[in-house]
């Protein structure tokens, strides 16, 4: 710099005239709600009398969850043959469900970690519930790869435990990478979630009126007092964990995609899988967040905290990732044609026009076509429609995993071995039950833990910014 | 009791001795007490526990056992007795298999075999290599017969008319009583019904019986006649397929289901080996005229579809053409005798011209079901051709028929074996003959609960005698050419059972045991009747110089009568009744291995189907919409209605007169237009757990384990019926099938060529799609596979086992390579050119490797466990016809088992490290380490891995889904009997575990141990070539499989791999498979109508967009031409 002009004297007068009008950022909390309101609102959910709808839902969820556990008991006692698997389709619904649930488990950590690093303040309204969703979805996901093995009682052999036989796990296997990727993801996500909750747990503790609430929440709050030093440490730890989680968001689904991409099955063996899977995971994850948050918003009257702006943002992310997924579908076709590899070509043409064409077109219409409605503001503002579209996205993403897993295996290299896979009732019930299992956990979360991060909400509320206009 | 006394030699004088040590003063002083004590091994009294002491001992022990067990007695395992060999039997080393020669009885010819026994328990059948014509090969029926011995449903006791159980002694005295009673009227009321047999001892007893009871009737019946030409010609024709260069088969499936197929296949294959264009032109050319698609038709170079009822006439036409081209006078008159046959005359003239030009190396063979005139005509034609066939004097079949027996029932009826109540002709009321008899005796392998005839006999108040299995019996037999072979017992009968010879001996006036009867026959037949010669015969399994003597049939053209072919149409169909290629005529219907061995052509399994031609199917409009195949997905509408991976066949009824048969329709390419193929041997009404027809649970379906086709068998026309009507119903039934897809989709998985291809580019087999996308060989690109196998890492297992010798490429041993003899590297080569698709390998593998039978329900779910899969592909080749089911396709088989890829895709994806590579190139499977992720199976491009989805070995079929609540096999449960067959050298796998072909690693290990024992201190530990015979290789009658060390250039497998025809499947994936294939060669006569210069498989390959020329170089340097 040659010389810095004195701002007070040499400032061109024109600047004041052309100064652009400042676009007001939409407030993240509406109706001028104060801190106290936020505390009352969030703690009120935990402190109120257990509502009837919760009791009913919880009962239903428990019943549905039992389907999974009965299915798994039958599976373990009798054999993998109780599922619809056959030669050549060695992976069926179990792996489809695994990838589906892991995909759903992506939004939470993305919201809490990546959006945190990117200083997207709107994330605070949804991140707690989304993180809870992540953890519960990963728990549902984890059931499937564990129980899909033929001899689940030897599942611990997947861990590199020293043993006298000198047998070690196979580190070249993507399934082994999965073991580490998913367990790391689960551990870090849980830590992140729990750590972020500590100040809020402290608030609930402080408001507790019964001795047992006090005891339990004291334990959970780990002695949080809200002192400056604690806040300083908390912020730093939160930032560090966000940094640690960020690569995990990308790595988990990348590694899950390696289960397919590292193999040599036509239709699986594609380099596009990691970004494509991650985009799909965020896509399905946000759809699931909306699926869960819209009813909660309505039930608990959270309209001032979860605003149209939040919903708009999430819809736009769904639109963006949905389009990416659609682009990936197109790219797969292009690469297959461009490769000149007859088996690859067949695999993709067969996907779209072969025996599983019905699944493929369900996938395309749900994942590529439906989200395009989010281009329209009117659609984004119609919450019933948003909710329905998100359901479609969830269905579509389940079918995406089905299409990838099953169609590729059913028709690969040797036509002599081609087959057709259909699930059995045990497959269906086991999957169906995981929604119950998920709901049980999520309902418990809603009832007993702070649904929204109070402290963080206060930080982004207009009241927290004394300089705000 | 004296103990052995050890005398130490005293020191000789002058012998150097060291310092003297002593244990005690007594020793120093050499006191007599000490000397006695020192000489004894044990102190005095050590071996003598007095009675009182023993009692005290037992008392104390008993008390302490009682205390220890008091509280726990209720939950101890049931007590079993394990008995050690107190005295080890001679020639028995526990853990080492012993082999005995014997023979597998066929009605027409015995098959010489070796029986592998473990601790005297027969576990596996192998061919007897001492019989040169078999060369150690065997058929699937022989392979499977060992399982019959452990059939849990076999009769375990003889039961008298009043229901009491008879001991063996009681059975013998009962039979003696029967013989004595019949003596009064010279056997006037006595009749025997038996299966035909090739046993000279039985023939001798029958002759004795007929001499002693001149009025008794001896009737033989087999539902599938095999030797009709013998009766017509008065001699047996023995075609020499090894010598013949041109073979015309008139509806004779000599590669399929006949006694003697092993010999014929072996001879045929020996003339089909070729690697160069010259050899390819010289190899046997096979013409086949047939109605259904048989294995012989599949092997044919030129195949003519014709109705079976017309082929008898065609035989005369062909004979007339031969005579005409040879200039014989009788030709014209012969030709004029045939009317009503529409045949491509160019096919006949060119085919015959080719036969005639072969000069003495041509051969015409005719199916057993053809008319007597057809056999005469074929004989005349062969005479004119100077054909490669010889005629021998074989024993004549019995003159009396089952129809005659039923027409005039006997007072005393003895039914030996067979199952006439099930497989008897429909127009013979055999049950009435049983009811009419005052006294019925039935010798059967299955009792009244599991056998139609035994049930009928029981209902008629007859006596049931339980029959021994041939592996428990003494007998003898003759092979196709008449070589005299023994049938030896491998084990005492498992149950109180007797043999046919036991029953017949008293009637022949003999009170000898079967072993003595066989010895007597041997003495008569052998030039040397000494004990040594007898022992040699039993040890070797064949009697040299015992073949049938030559004979000359006397047949003239005048004997041939006029032939008018019946007119066939969609309303008047012809039915061809065949024994099932995988289950025979029904006698072995309770054999799980045979039931689960797929039909080679239709790939249906566990049941039979009504085979119809695509043309007839189109006429019947079976498919709801146009019958085309969606080439893209190719499974939407496949060869038959394939709905969600299940073959759903329409049910139809065939009616002829008052008889009808109902079963599922299967559209079979290559069938004659108006011929309907029916497989016999299924639909047993009363059968064992495998054989019985079970009601299907699904609505609208009829078929369990197949349907009974015998109602259409007539005594006069056992194989072909005409004028049959087919009525279609709307119902469908799922049919178990092991290969859904008929087309290879134009992929270059199996490769074919002919002499022209070899001339143009002898490496034609190595190209194809792989030529377009060359295999990624990395830095070792051009290296020979054998060299690569040693020098570059194989499979990259996580471990090098420290106790094994180390591959020389490991850095630390550089410069010391000489200290480590390179390990042998195992590999396999399969010759697609000689493979006939007979299933012998599949069954042999199942027998050797303890592969479970999973049952129809599991097959329908696509979970068969066979380690070898015989892929069958049809090739249409007509680009325009595109998607229609081919009417006249070519077919090729390809046996696919684990390819033992050097860089195996399965290994790197197993998280538990359960499948790893060994340093001799085997892709091994550690069952104990497998947790069952199935990732390996997904990643195997050859799809050869098999998963134990359910507890197939532990649970009873039908209760797989009941888990621990289902019935478990108990120790004394008869359902557990098949466990005795298990090969003790191979693990029995539990559920949740992956399995696959191991290259018979147990045989490799055994050979390696023997080689190391033989090597002693030398470094020569290599297994000699040919010592290891893997089970499939050993059984293969065509000798299509070679196995051995691929690094030894002299080994047979290395030579096979060096063949120009050698290629690997899917090698572009850089799997580097150790199993490679030799391309199939077709031997074309270009003058024949419809000669496809390019094999149809390649037409399809070439036709695929942008991936053309199999002849071109890697990147299609020159444009392809069709």
């Amino acid at each position: 710099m040659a010389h810095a002009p004195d701002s007070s004297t040499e400032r061109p007068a024109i600047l004041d005239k052309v100064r652009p009008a400042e676009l007001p950022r939409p407030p993240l909390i509406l109706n001028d709600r104060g801190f106290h309101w936020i505390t009352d609102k969030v703690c009120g959910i935990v402190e109120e009398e257990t509502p009837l709808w919760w009791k009913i839902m919880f009962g239903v969820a428990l019943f549905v969850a039992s389907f999974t556990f009965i299915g798994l008991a039958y599976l373990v006692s009798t054999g993998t043959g109780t599922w619809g698997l056959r030669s050549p389709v060695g992976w069926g619904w179990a792996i489809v469900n695994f990838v589906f649930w892991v995909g759903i488990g992506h939004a939470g950590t993305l919201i809490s970690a990546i959006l945190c690093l990117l200083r997207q303040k709107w994330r605070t309204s949804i991140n707690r519930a989304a993180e809870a969703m992540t953890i519960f979805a990963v728990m549902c996901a984890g059931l499937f790869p564990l129980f899909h093995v033929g001899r689940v009682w030897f599942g611990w052999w997947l861990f590199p435990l020293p043993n006298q036989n000198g047998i070690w796990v196979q580190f070249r296997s993507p399934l082994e990478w999965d073991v580490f990727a998913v367990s790391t993801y689960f551990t870090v996500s849980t830590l992140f979630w729990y750590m972020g909750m500590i100040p809020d747990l402290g608030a609930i503790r402080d408001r507790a009126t019964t001795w047992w609430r006090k005891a339990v929440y004291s334990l959970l709050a780990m002695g949080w007092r809200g002192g400056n030093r604690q806040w300083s440490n908390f912020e730093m730890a939160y930032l560090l964990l966000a940094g640690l989680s960020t690569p995990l968001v990308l790595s988990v689904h990348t590694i899950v995609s390696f289960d397919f991409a590292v193999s040599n099955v036509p239709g699986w063996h594609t380099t596009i899988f990691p970004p494509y899977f991650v985009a799909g995971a965020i896509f399905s994850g946000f759809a699931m967040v909306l699926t869960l948050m819209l009813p909660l918003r309505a039930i608990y009257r959270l309209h001032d905290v979860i605003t149209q702006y939040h919903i708009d943002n999430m819809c736009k992310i769904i639109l963006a990732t949905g389009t990416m997924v659609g682009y990936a579908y197109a790219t797969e076709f292009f690469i297959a044609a461009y490769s000149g590899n007859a088996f690859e070509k067949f695999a993709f043409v067969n996907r779209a026009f072969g025996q599983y064409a019905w699944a493929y077109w369900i996938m395309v219409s749900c994942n590529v076509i439906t989200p395009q409605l989010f281009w329209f503001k009117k659609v984004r503002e119609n919450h019933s429609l948003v909710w329905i579209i998100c359901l479609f996205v969830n269905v579509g993403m389940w079918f995406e995993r089905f299409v990838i897993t099953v169609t590729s295996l059913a028709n690969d290299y040797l036509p002599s071995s081609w087959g057709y896979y259909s699930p059995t009732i045990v497959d269906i019930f086991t999957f169906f039950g995981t929604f119950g299992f998920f709901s049980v956990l999520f309902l418990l979360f809603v009832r007993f833990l702070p649904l929204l991060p109070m402290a963080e909400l206060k930080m982004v509320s207009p009241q927290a910014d004394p300089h705000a206009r | 009791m004296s103990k052995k006394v050890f005398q130490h030699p005293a020191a000789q004088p002058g012998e150097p001795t060291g310092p003297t040590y002593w244990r005690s003063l007594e020793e120093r002083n050499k006191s007599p007490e000490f000397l006695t004590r020192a000489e004894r091994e044990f102190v005095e009294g050590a071996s003598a526990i007095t009675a009182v002491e023993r009692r005290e001992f037992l008392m104390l022990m008993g008390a302490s056992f009682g205390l220890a067990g008091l509280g726990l007695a209720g939950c101890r395992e049931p007590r079993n007795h394990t008995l050690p060999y107190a005295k080890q039997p001679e020639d028995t080393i526990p853990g080492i298999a012993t082999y005995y020669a014997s023979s597998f009885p066929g009605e027409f010819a015995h098959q010489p075999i070796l029986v592998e026994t473990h601790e005297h328990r027969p576990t596996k059948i192998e061919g007897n290599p001492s019989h040169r014509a078999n060369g150690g090969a065997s058929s699937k029926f022989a392979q499977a017969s060992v399982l019959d011995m452990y059939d849990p449903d076999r009769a375990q006791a003889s039961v008298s008319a009043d229901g009491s159980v008879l001991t063996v002694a009681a059975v013998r005295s009962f039979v003696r009583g029967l013989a004595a009673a019949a003596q009064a009227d010279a056997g006037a009321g006595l009749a025997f019904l038996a299966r035909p047999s090739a046993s000279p001892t039985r023939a001798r007893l029958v002759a004795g019986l007929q001499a002693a009871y001149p009025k008794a009737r001896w009737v033989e019946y087999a539902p599938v006649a095999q030797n009709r030409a013998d009766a017509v010609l008065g001699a047996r024709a023995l075609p020499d397929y090894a010598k013949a260069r041109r073979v015309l088969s008139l509806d004779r499936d000599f590669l399929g289901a006949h006694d003697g197929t092993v010999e014929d296949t072996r001879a045929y294959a020996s003339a089909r080996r070729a690697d160069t264009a010259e050899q390819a032109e010289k190899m046997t050319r096979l013409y086949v005229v047939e109605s259904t698609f048989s294995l012989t038709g599949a092997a044919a170079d030129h195949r003519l579809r014709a109705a079976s009822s017309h082929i008898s006439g065609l035989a005369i036409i062909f004979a007339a053409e031969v005579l005409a081209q040879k200039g014989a006078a009788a030709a014209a008159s012969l030709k004029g005798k045939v009317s009503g046959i529409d045949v491509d005359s160019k096919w006949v003239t060119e085919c015959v011209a080719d036969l005639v030009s072969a000069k003495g190396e041509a051969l015409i063979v005719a199916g057993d079901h053809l008319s007597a005139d057809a056999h005469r005509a074929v004989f005349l034609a062969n005479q004119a051709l100077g054909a490669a066939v010889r005629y021998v004097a074989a024993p004549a079949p019995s003159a009396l028929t089952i129809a005659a027996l039923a027409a005039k029932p006997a007072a005393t009826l003895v039914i030996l074996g067979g199952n006439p109540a099930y497989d008897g002709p429909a127009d013979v009321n055999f049950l009435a003959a049983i009811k009419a008899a005052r006294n019925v005796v039935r010798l059967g392998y299955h009792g009244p609960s599991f056998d139609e005839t035994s049930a009928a006999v029981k209902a008629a108040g007859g006596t049931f005698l339980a029959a021994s299995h041939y592996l428990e019996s003494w007998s003898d037999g003759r092979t196709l050419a008449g070589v005299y072979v023994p049938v030896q017992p491998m084990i005492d009968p498992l149950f109180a059972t007797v043999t046919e010879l036991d029953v017949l001996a008293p009637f022949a006036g003999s009170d000898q045991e079967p072993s003595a009867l066989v010895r007597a026959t041997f003495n008569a037949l052998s030039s040397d009747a000494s004990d040594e010669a007898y022992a040699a015969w039993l040890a070797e399994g064949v009697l040299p110089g015992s073949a049938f003597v030559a004979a000359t049939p006397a047949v003239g053209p005048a004997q041939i009568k006029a032939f008018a072919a019946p007119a066939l149409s969609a309303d008047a169909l012809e039915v061809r009744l065949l024994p099932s290629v995988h289950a025979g005529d029904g006698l072995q219907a309770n054999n799980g291995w045979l039931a689960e061995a797929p039909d080679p052509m239709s790939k249906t399994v566990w049941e039979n189907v009504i085979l119809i031609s695509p043309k007839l199917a189109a006429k019947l409009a079976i498919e709801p919409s146009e019958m085309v195949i969606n080439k893209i997905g190719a499974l939407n509408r496949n060869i038959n209605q394939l709905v969600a991976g299940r073959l759903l066949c329409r049910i139809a009824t065939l009616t002829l007169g008052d008889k009808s048969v109902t079963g599922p329709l299967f559209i079979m390419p290559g069938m004659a237009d108006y011929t309907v193929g029916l497989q016999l041997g299924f639909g047993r009404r009363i059968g064992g757990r495998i054989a019985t027809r079970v009601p299907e649970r699904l609505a609208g379906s009829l078929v369990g384990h197949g349907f009974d086709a015998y109602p259409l068998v007539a005594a006069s026309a056992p194989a072909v019926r005409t004028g049959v009507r087919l009525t279609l119903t709307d119902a469908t039934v799922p049919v178990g099938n092991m290969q859904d897809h008929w087309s290879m989709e134009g992929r270059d998985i199996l490769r074919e060529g002919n002499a022209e291809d070899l001339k143009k580019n002898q490496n034609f087999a190595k190209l194809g799609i792989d030529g377009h996308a060359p295999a990624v060989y990395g830095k070792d690109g051009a290296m020979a596979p054998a060299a690569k196998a040693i020098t570059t890492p194989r499979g990259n297992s996580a471990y090098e086992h420290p106790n094994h010798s180390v591959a020389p490429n490991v850095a630390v041993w550089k410069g010391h390579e000489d200290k480590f003899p390179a390990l042998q590297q195992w590999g396999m080569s399969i010759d697609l050119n000689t493979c006939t698709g007979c299933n012998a390998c599949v069954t042999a593998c199942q027998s050797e490797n303890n592969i479970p039978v999973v049952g129809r329900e599991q097959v329908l779910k696509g979970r068969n466990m066979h380690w070898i899969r015989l892929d069958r592909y049809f090739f249409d080749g007509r680009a325009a016809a595109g998607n229609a089911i081919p009417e006249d396709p070519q077919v090729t088989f390809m046996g696919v088992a684990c390819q033992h890829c050097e860089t195996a895709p399965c290994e790197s994806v197993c998280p538990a490290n359960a499948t790893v590579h060994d340093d001799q190139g085997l892709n091994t499977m550690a069952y104990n380490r497998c947790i069952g992720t199935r990732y390996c199976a997904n990643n195997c491009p050859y799809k050869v891995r098999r998963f134990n989805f359910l507890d197939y070995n532990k649970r009873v079929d039908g209760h797989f889904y009941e888990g621990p609540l289902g019935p478990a096999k108990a120790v004394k449960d008869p359902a557990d009997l098949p466990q005795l067959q298990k090969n003790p050298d191979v693990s029995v796998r539990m559920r949740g575990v992956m399995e696959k072909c191991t290259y018979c690693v147990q045989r490799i290990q055994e050979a390696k141990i023997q080689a190391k024992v033989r090597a002693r201190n030398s470094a020569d530990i290599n297994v000699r070539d040919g010592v290891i015979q893997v089970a499939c290789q050993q059984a293969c009658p065509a000798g299509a499989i070679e196995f051995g060390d691929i690094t030894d250039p002299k080994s047979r497998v290395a030579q096979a791999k060096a063949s120009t025809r050698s290629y690997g499947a899917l090698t572009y994936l850089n799997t580097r498979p150790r199993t490679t294939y030799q391309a199939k060669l077709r031997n074309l006569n270009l003058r024949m109508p419809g000669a496809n210069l390019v094999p149809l498989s390649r037409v399809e390959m070439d036709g695929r967009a942008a991936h053309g020329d199999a002849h071109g170089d890697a990147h299609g340097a020159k444009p392809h031409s069709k």
Side-chain angles (χ1 to χ4, degrees), chain B residues 614-890:
Chain B
K615 188 169 177 181
L616 181 59
K619 286 213 167 178
L620 295 169
I622 284 175
E623 301 273 331
S625 54
E626 195 190 350
M627 196 166 47
V628 294
I629 293 153
N630 178 355
K631 269 275 178 183
I632 300 166
L635 279 170
N636 278 356
R637 177 65 43 78
N638 208 298
I639 184 161
N640 286 282
Q641 276 279 47
L642 205 71
V643 179
R646 301 235 283 185
L647 184 66
L648 278 182
C649 293
R650 290 283 287 277
I651 290 176
T653 303
L654 293 169
T655 319
L656 177 64
D658 59 342
K659 305 283 184 204
S660 70
V661 155
T662 301
L665 282 182
F666 185 95
I667 308 164
M668 182 78 184
M671 296 277 294
D673 291 344
Y674 297 116
T675 298
V676 173
L678 281 185
Q679 298 143 328
L680 302 169
F682 290 94
R684 292 275 302 270
R685 291 177 299 281
I686 305 169
R689 61 196 72 198
I690 304 278
T692 316
R693 169 179 173 149
V694 292
E696 180 72 34
R697 272 178 292 172
L698 297 167
S701 51
L702 278 174
V703 182
H705 293 188
F707 61 89
D708 182 7
Y710 279 107
L712 290 186
V713 170
S716 55
V720 183
R721 304 298 297 274
T722 52
V724 177
R725 280 188 63 85
L726 189 149
T727 335
L728 200 60
T729 70
D730 287 332
T732 56
V733 69
V735 169
N737 69 320
M738 286 201 181
Q739 184 179 345
D740 297 339
H741 205 68
W742 65 266
S743 162
M744 200 171 68
E745 295 292 309
R747 300 177 173 190
D748 65 343
I749 300 155
L750 63 83
R751 303 184 193 171
E752 299 181 24
N754 51 38
E756 300 297 317
D757 293 309
L758 284 169
K759 272 182 208 160
K760 271 192 236 157
N761 179 358
Q762 64 168 8
N763 284 323
F764 79 94
K766 294 198 170 53
L767 297 169
I769 297 172
D770 281 358
H772 195 85
V776 187
Y777 284 128
K779 60 187 167 49
D780 310 305
M783 196 181 277
K788 197 155 47 185
I790 305 176
T791 54
T792 67
R794 299 174 303 273
N796 297 315
S797 276
Y799 319 105
E800 290 290 349
H801 196 289
N803 295 337
H804 285 182
S805 59
V806 182
N809 60 317
V810 175
V812 68
W813 295 112
K814 278 276 181 284
H816 303 281
E817 285 86 351
D818 55 320
K819 293 190 177 127
F820 296 92
L823 287 168
Q824 289 179 294
Q825 298 298 325
W826 309 119
M828 182 182 279
S829 179
I830 300 175
D831 190 350
L832 301 181
N833 194 32
T834 46
C835 171
T836 61
C838 73
N839 270 349
C841 54
V842 175
T843 311
C845 178
Q846 190 155 24
S847 171
E848 170 76 15
N849 291 306
N850 298 340
I851 298 172
V853 173
V854 299
R856 177 171 182 273
E857 193 190 12
Q858 291 296 302
V859 169
L860 276 169
K861 289 184 187 329
R863 292 173 182 164
N864 50 302
M865 295 298 289
H866 289 160
W867 287 1
I868 303 180
R869 194 179 68 221
L870 270 175
D871 290 352
R872 172 271 292 131
Y873 295 111
F874 292 114
F875 305 110
D876 185 303
R878 294 170 304 160
N883 302 335
I885 293 175
E887 285 193 359
D888 198 6
Q890 286 182 346

Side-chain angles (χ1 to χ4, degrees), chain B residues 216-232:
Chain B
R217 288 181 291 164
W218 176 261
V219 183
E220 288 178 1
Y221 172 71
V224 182
Q226 288 197 39
N227 49 350
R228 288 186 58 183
D230 287 16
V232 176

